[in-house]
Amino acid sequence: MKDIKKNLLIVVLSFIAINLSSCSVTPSKETESFAKPPLFWPLPPEPPKIKYIKSIERPDDLGIKKSFFAKLVKIFIGESVARIAKPYGITKVNDRLAVTDTAKRMVHVFDMKTGKYLEIPKDEEGKLSSPIGVAMDGEGRIYVADSQLQRVNIYNDDGKLINFIKGGFARPTGVAIDRNKGLLYVLDTLLHQVFIFDLKGVLKDQFGERGRDDGEFNFPTSIFVDKDGFIYITDSMNFRIQIFDKDHSFIGKFGRQGDGSGDFSNPKGVAVDSEGNIYVVDTLFDAVQIFDREGRLLLSFGRSGNDNGEFWLPSGIFIDDTDTIYVADSYNSRVQVFKFLGSE
C-alpha cells in the first residue's frame, strides 16, 4: 500500500513539475519571427473592414484551462480532450459562447468571464441526436434545435434540461431570440415555416409556406434577429435572403443562384453587424459575403483551405454586440473569429 501511495505521489509531483516548467517557457525570438502577419479584408491599399482574430478548437484557445484534478483524471483514465469536431450553429450572449457540434451530438459552452467550459447534455435526460441551431436568452438559458428529435431543448445556465418544445416540427434547424420582445423563432426546413414562441415554449404565431413568392420559402436553413427586431432568413433553395420587420411582414429580399461574386451556391448562415451589413456564409464557396440591405455586394472574405481565414464547408455565423464575428468552419473542426472594424 505504501509503495502504491509513493508511486502515485511521484506521478503527481512529476505532473506538477511538467506543468510549472511549461508555464515558464516563453517563445524565442526565432519562433516569434515566424509569426504570421495579421489578416485584413479588403487588401491594401483599401482601408480594412474585417480583421482575423483567432481560431477556437478547444477551451484552451479561449484561455479556459482544465483544473489540476481534471488533468490528473485524464492521465489515469484517458479522458478525451474537449475539442470541437464539426461545429454548425453559434450564439454568444455577454461572455458565453455556445457552439453546436453535429459530430459529437452536443453543445460546447465557453464562459470567457468565469473561465469555465460546459458540455451539453450533462445526462441522458438532456441527450441530443442532431443539434443544429442554438440560441441563448438574457438569463443564460440555452435553446437547441434538434432536427432529428424534432424538438427544441431548453437548458438552464448549468446545462440541465428544464423544458423542451415538441409538436408540429418536421425538421427544426435555425433558432434565434428577440431579446427585446422575449420571443423565440424556430425555423423548420421541411415545413418551410417560422414558428414563434415565448421563452416558456408557448406558440404565439407562425408564418411562411413553400413557394418562390415574397414571404414563401424553399428549404430555409438559418435565421437571425438583429437588435431592432428585423428578421433575416436564409431561403436556401431559392438562393436568397429574405428580410421581415418586427411584425413579421416581408420587406425585402436579395440573391440569385450562380457562381459569381454576389451569387449564391449553397447559402446557410446569416448574421447582421451593428451598421446593418448582412453577412451570408456560402458552404460551397467557402466564403462569407457581405451585403447592404438592398443586396449590393460590399465585400467577401475567405477561400478554400485550412489556414487562418480559410474555410472548408463553413455553416453557421453569429455577430455579437461588439461586432465580433464567429464562423463555424465545419470541416476544419473549428470556429474562426473575426472583427468588423466599422465603415469609418
PDB file of all heavy atoms in Angstrom, residues 227 272-278 292-293 323 340-344:
ATOM      1  N   LYS A 227     -30.718  43.733 -33.554  1.00  0.00           N
ATOM      2  CA  LYS A 227     -31.035  44.468 -32.329  1.00  0.00           C
ATOM      3  C   LYS A 227     -32.334  45.266 -32.426  1.00  0.00           C
ATOM      4  O   LYS A 227     -32.923  45.621 -31.405  1.00  0.00           O
ATOM      5  CB  LYS A 227     -29.871  45.410 -31.974  1.00  0.00           C
ATOM      6  CG  LYS A 227     -29.510  46.406 -33.062  1.00  0.00           C
ATOM      7  CD  LYS A 227     -28.306  47.232 -32.657  1.00  0.00           C
ATOM      8  CE  LYS A 227     -27.809  48.156 -33.751  1.00  0.00           C
ATOM      9  NZ  LYS A 227     -28.791  49.044 -34.328  1.00  0.00           N
ATOM     10  N   VAL A 272     -26.013  39.868 -38.947  1.00  0.00           N
ATOM     11  CA  VAL A 272     -26.003  41.299 -39.251  1.00  0.00           C
ATOM     12  C   VAL A 272     -25.150  42.026 -38.227  1.00  0.00           C
ATOM     13  O   VAL A 272     -25.228  41.744 -37.023  1.00  0.00           O
ATOM     14  CB  VAL A 272     -27.443  41.864 -39.236  1.00  0.00           C
ATOM     15  CG1 VAL A 272     -27.447  43.354 -39.553  1.00  0.00           C
ATOM     16  CG2 VAL A 272     -28.320  41.112 -40.229  1.00  0.00           C
ATOM     17  N   ASP A 273     -24.313  42.967 -38.688  1.00  0.00           N
ATOM     18  CA  ASP A 273     -23.477  43.727 -37.755  1.00  0.00           C
ATOM     19  C   ASP A 273     -24.209  44.987 -37.289  1.00  0.00           C
ATOM     20  O   ASP A 273     -25.370  45.233 -37.650  1.00  0.00           O
ATOM     21  CB  ASP A 273     -22.102  44.037 -38.368  1.00  0.00           C
ATOM     22  CG  ASP A 273     -22.163  44.981 -39.568  1.00  0.00           C
ATOM     23  OD1 ASP A 273     -23.093  45.804 -39.651  1.00  0.00           O
ATOM     24  OD2 ASP A 273     -21.265  44.908 -40.432  1.00  0.00           O
ATOM     25  N   SER A 274     -23.527  45.812 -36.485  1.00  0.00           N
ATOM     26  CA  SER A 274     -24.165  46.982 -35.868  1.00  0.00           C
ATOM     27  C   SER A 274     -24.546  48.053 -36.875  1.00  0.00           C
ATOM     28  O   SER A 274     -25.381  48.916 -36.582  1.00  0.00           O
ATOM     29  CB  SER A 274     -23.238  47.579 -34.817  1.00  0.00           C
ATOM     30  OG  SER A 274     -22.041  48.059 -35.419  1.00  0.00           O
ATOM     31  N   GLU A 275     -23.976  48.018 -38.075  1.00  0.00           N
ATOM     32  CA  GLU A 275     -24.287  49.009 -39.100  1.00  0.00           C
ATOM     33  C   GLU A 275     -25.301  48.504 -40.112  1.00  0.00           C
ATOM     34  O   GLU A 275     -25.574  49.172 -41.106  1.00  0.00           O
ATOM     35  CB  GLU A 275     -23.001  49.457 -39.794  1.00  0.00           C
ATOM     36  CG  GLU A 275     -22.034  50.174 -38.856  1.00  0.00           C
ATOM     37  CD  GLU A 275     -20.830  50.762 -39.569  1.00  0.00           C
ATOM     38  OE1 GLU A 275     -20.797  50.696 -40.817  1.00  0.00           O
ATOM     39  OE2 GLU A 275     -19.934  51.270 -38.894  1.00  0.00           O
ATOM     40  N   GLY A 276     -25.842  47.299 -39.869  1.00  0.00           N
ATOM     41  CA  GLY A 276     -26.870  46.766 -40.758  1.00  0.00           C
ATOM     42  C   GLY A 276     -26.342  46.002 -41.950  1.00  0.00           C
ATOM     43  O   GLY A 276     -27.122  45.635 -42.839  1.00  0.00           O
ATOM     44  N   ASN A 277     -25.040  45.750 -42.010  1.00  0.00           N
ATOM     45  CA  ASN A 277     -24.479  44.938 -43.089  1.00  0.00           C
ATOM     46  C   ASN A 277     -24.841  43.473 -42.864  1.00  0.00           C
ATOM     47  O   ASN A 277     -24.778  42.977 -41.735  1.00  0.00           O
ATOM     48  CB  ASN A 277     -22.961  45.097 -43.139  1.00  0.00           C
ATOM     49  CG  ASN A 277     -22.534  46.538 -43.319  1.00  0.00           C
ATOM     50  OD1 ASN A 277     -23.020  47.231 -44.208  1.00  0.00           O
ATOM     51  ND2 ASN A 277     -21.629  47.005 -42.467  1.00  0.00           N
ATOM     52  N   ILE A 278     -25.192  42.786 -43.936  1.00  0.00           N
ATOM     53  CA  ILE A 278     -25.700  41.419 -43.853  1.00  0.00           C
ATOM     54  C   ILE A 278     -24.621  40.445 -44.336  1.00  0.00           C
ATOM     55  O   ILE A 278     -24.135  40.555 -45.468  1.00  0.00           O
ATOM     56  CB  ILE A 278     -26.973  41.262 -44.702  1.00  0.00           C
ATOM     57  CG1 ILE A 278     -28.025  42.282 -44.254  1.00  0.00           C
ATOM     58  CG2 ILE A 278     -27.517  39.840 -44.587  1.00  0.00           C
ATOM     59  CD1 ILE A 278     -29.189  42.421 -45.215  1.00  0.00           C
ATOM     60  N   ASP A 292     -25.335  45.021 -48.405  1.00  0.00           N
ATOM     61  CA  ASP A 292     -26.155  46.031 -47.747  1.00  0.00           C
ATOM     62  C   ASP A 292     -27.615  45.581 -47.810  1.00  0.00           C
ATOM     63  O   ASP A 292     -27.937  44.511 -48.351  1.00  0.00           O
ATOM     64  CB  ASP A 292     -25.948  47.417 -48.349  1.00  0.00           C
ATOM     65  CG  ASP A 292     -26.375  47.522 -49.811  1.00  0.00           C
ATOM     66  OD1 ASP A 292     -27.096  46.620 -50.300  1.00  0.00           O
ATOM     67  OD2 ASP A 292     -25.986  48.505 -50.470  1.00  0.00           O
ATOM     68  N   ARG A 293     -28.532  46.385 -47.261  1.00  0.00           N
ATOM     69  CA  ARG A 293     -29.932  45.973 -47.190  1.00  0.00           C
ATOM     70  C   ARG A 293     -30.585  45.847 -48.561  1.00  0.00           C
ATOM     71  O   ARG A 293     -31.597  45.158 -48.726  1.00  0.00           O
ATOM     72  CB  ARG A 293     -30.722  46.993 -46.343  1.00  0.00           C
ATOM     73  CG  ARG A 293     -30.430  46.930 -44.862  1.00  0.00           C
ATOM     74  CD  ARG A 293     -31.084  45.718 -44.222  1.00  0.00           C
ATOM     75  NE  ARG A 293     -32.521  45.857 -44.133  1.00  0.00           N
ATOM     76  CZ  ARG A 293     -33.163  46.372 -43.101  1.00  0.00           C
ATOM     77  NH1 ARG A 293     -32.476  46.806 -42.066  1.00  0.00           N
ATOM     78  NH2 ARG A 293     -34.473  46.453 -43.079  1.00  0.00           N
ATOM     79  N   ASP A 323     -19.571  43.534 -32.488  1.00  0.00           N
ATOM     80  CA  ASP A 323     -19.208  43.317 -33.894  1.00  0.00           C
ATOM     81  C   ASP A 323     -18.088  42.294 -34.053  1.00  0.00           C
ATOM     82  O   ASP A 323     -17.327  42.326 -35.028  1.00  0.00           O
ATOM     83  CB  ASP A 323     -18.822  44.635 -34.585  1.00  0.00           C
ATOM     84  CG  ASP A 323     -20.042  45.418 -35.038  1.00  0.00           C
ATOM     85  OD1 ASP A 323     -21.098  44.794 -35.255  1.00  0.00           O
ATOM     86  OD2 ASP A 323     -19.952  46.652 -35.163  1.00  0.00           O
ATOM     87  N   PHE A 340     -15.434  43.091 -37.226  1.00  0.00           N
ATOM     88  CA  PHE A 340     -15.825  44.158 -38.134  1.00  0.00           C
ATOM     89  C   PHE A 340     -15.278  45.465 -37.573  1.00  0.00           C
ATOM     90  O   PHE A 340     -15.585  45.851 -36.444  1.00  0.00           O
ATOM     91  CB  PHE A 340     -17.348  44.219 -38.277  1.00  0.00           C
ATOM     92  CG  PHE A 340     -17.845  45.402 -39.044  1.00  0.00           C
ATOM     93  CD1 PHE A 340     -17.410  45.650 -40.336  1.00  0.00           C
ATOM     94  CD2 PHE A 340     -18.768  46.278 -38.481  1.00  0.00           C
ATOM     95  CE1 PHE A 340     -17.864  46.761 -41.043  1.00  0.00           C
ATOM     96  CE2 PHE A 340     -19.228  47.389 -39.173  1.00  0.00           C
ATOM     97  CZ  PHE A 340     -18.777  47.612 -40.467  1.00  0.00           C
ATOM     98  N   LEU A 341     -14.470  46.169 -38.363  1.00  0.00           N
ATOM     99  CA  LEU A 341     -13.773  47.358 -37.886  1.00  0.00           C
ATOM    100  C   LEU A 341     -14.571  48.633 -38.073  1.00  0.00           C
ATOM    101  O   LEU A 341     -14.131  49.701 -37.655  1.00  0.00           O
ATOM    102  CB  LEU A 341     -12.412  47.470 -38.588  1.00  0.00           C
ATOM    103  CG  LEU A 341     -11.485  46.263 -38.417  1.00  0.00           C
ATOM    104  CD1 LEU A 341     -10.204  46.470 -39.211  1.00  0.00           C
ATOM    105  CD2 LEU A 341     -11.184  45.995 -36.957  1.00  0.00           C
ATOM    106  N   GLY A 342     -15.730  48.543 -38.717  1.00  0.00           N
ATOM    107  CA  GLY A 342     -16.547  49.716 -38.929  1.00  0.00           C
ATOM    108  C   GLY A 342     -16.267  50.357 -40.261  1.00  0.00           C
ATOM    109  O   GLY A 342     -15.231  50.150 -40.898  1.00  0.00           O
ATOM    110  N   SER A 343     -17.196  51.165 -40.724  1.00  0.00           N
ATOM    111  CA  SER A 343     -17.064  51.775 -42.043  1.00  0.00           C
ATOM    112  C   SER A 343     -16.188  53.016 -42.028  1.00  0.00           C
ATOM    113  O   SER A 343     -15.751  53.502 -43.069  1.00  0.00           O
ATOM    114  CB  SER A 343     -18.458  52.149 -42.575  1.00  0.00           C
ATOM    115  OG  SER A 343     -19.106  53.045 -41.688  1.00  0.00           O
ATOM    116  N   GLU A 344     -15.916  53.554 -40.824  1.00  0.00           N
ATOM    117  CA  GLU A 344     -15.094  54.772 -40.770  1.00  0.00           C
ATOM    118  C   GLU A 344     -13.623  54.409 -40.973  1.00  0.00           C
ATOM    119  O   GLU A 344     -13.106  53.519 -40.324  1.00  0.00           O
ATOM    120  CB  GLU A 344     -15.287  55.453 -39.408  1.00  0.00           C
ATOM    121  CG  GLU A 344     -16.703  55.944 -39.168  1.00  0.00           C
ATOM    122  CD  GLU A 344     -17.126  57.009 -40.183  1.00  0.00           C
ATOM    123  OE1 GLU A 344     -16.254  57.778 -40.626  1.00  0.00           O
ATOM    124  OE2 GLU A 344     -18.310  57.054 -40.516  1.00  0.00           O
TER     125      GLU A 344
END
